[in-house]
Amino acid sequence: MQKSNRQLQKEQTKEALLKAAYQLFAEQGIMNTRMSDIAQAAGVSHGTVFAHFQTQEMLITEVIETYGEKIARRTHEAAGTCEHMEELLAAHLAGIGEFEPFYARLVIENRLLPPEARDVWVAIQSAVSFHFSQVAQREIGSGQSIDLPLYFLFNTWVGLVHYYLANGDLFAPEGNVVGRYGDTLVDHYMKMIRRDGSKGGGRE
């Protein structure tokens, strides 16, 4: 059934609100952004925001769901063909890098988010963990990587990346942590998990 002009306009307005909120969350923080800020950025009235989202928590959750799904999809697409850990880590960073300012805000503010939004944050990490575990098990089994619990190996990698992102103002004031330190993070992590201390196979 064809949508009416009113339905199309409503969808376009909602999309504009989500995009404006995403950009503001990335620039000034999730919890620091007011509904009125989003309305102004989207070029609509304050009341229009509440016509689409009854509460600020609902808006925050939908923005994180919308863009969190994109981050997870990008990572899934890039990681799906990776055979070596070094390739997988680079794919993970590539997925983050496309949305880095927003993702960094999620890292910094995730404990302050509404419960539903935090569930989305967990889902993003779970999507990455799935691919990580597959590659890690294979490399541990072949003797390439040290035999440590998968959760520890994954949490060590994520903790390293998130630490750099959370302190991006110190590491990369220009705002591109992944671009500036991505290769370094991958190289050092690989040296930590390889049995012989080398990076091993993967990227040429």
Side-chain angles (χ1 to χ4, degrees):
M1 189 169 104
Q2 190 173 7
K3 296 179 181 179
S4 67
N5 288 336
R6 180 177 176 81
Q7 287 175 312
L8 291 173
Q9 185 177 22
K10 187 175 181 179
E11 291 178 2
Q12 290 170 356
T13 300
K14 184 176 182 180
E15 180 64 29
L17 288 170
L18 290 173
K19 185 175 181 180
Y22 166 79
Q23 291 172 337
L24 288 173
F25 289 170
E27 292 169 6
Q28 62 190 39
I30 299 169
M31 305 311 294
N32 284 335
T33 300
R34 301 171 299 177
M35 297 287 261
S36 57
D37 297 331
I38 296 168
Q40 183 177 4
V44 301
S45 68
H46 195 184
T48 298
V49 183
F50 287 98
H52 290 271
F53 306 98
Q54 295 179 5
T55 65
Q56 185 172 3
E57 289 74 17
M58 290 176 66
L59 173 57
I60 289 172
T61 299
E62 186 149 352
V63 171
I64 294 175
E65 285 178 346
T66 299
Y67 288 92
E69 181 182 342
K70 291 182 180 182
I71 295 169
R73 189 186 312 124
R74 293 288 193 279
T75 303
H76 176 74
E77 290 169 353
T81 58
C82 294
E83 297 183 3
H84 302 284
M85 181 59 72
E86 189 176 5
E87 293 176 322
L88 178 62
L89 301 183
H92 181 208
L93 291 179
I96 292 174
E98 188 175 346
F99 305 92
E100 182 177 318
F102 177 69
Y103 187 91
R105 291 294 183 179
L106 290 178
V107 171
I108 295 168
E109 300 185 46
N110 80 86
R111 293 182 65 85
L112 303 175
L113 298 176
E116 295 83 1
R118 290 202 71 195
D119 289 343
V120 177
W121 171 248
V122 172
I124 296 171
Q125 305 312 314
S126 296
V128 179
S129 177
F130 171 76
H131 292 288
F132 185 98
S133 296
Q134 287 188 317
V135 176
Q137 282 182 316
R138 189 161 58 243
E139 296 206 345
I140 290 172
S142 67
Q144 290 177 276
S145 297
I146 56 177
D147 188 3
L148 288 173
L150 297 177
Y151 70 84
F152 184 82
L153 291 171
F154 178 69
N155 290 342
T156 299
W157 165 249
V158 172
L160 179 64
V161 173
H162 286 185
Y163 177 79
Y164 270 73
L165 289 171
N167 294 280
D169 57 328
L170 300 176
F171 292 114
E174 77 285 357
N176 188 2
V177 171
V178 171
R180 186 170 182 179
Y181 289 98
D183 288 345
T184 300
L185 294 177
V186 171
D187 290 345
H188 285 313
Y189 181 80
M190 293 305 300
K191 289 176 182 177
M192 286 192 294
I193 69 169
R194 287 302 186 210
R195 286 190 177 277
D196 60 0
S198 67
K199 292 191 298 180
R203 295 177 299 170
E204 294 296 332

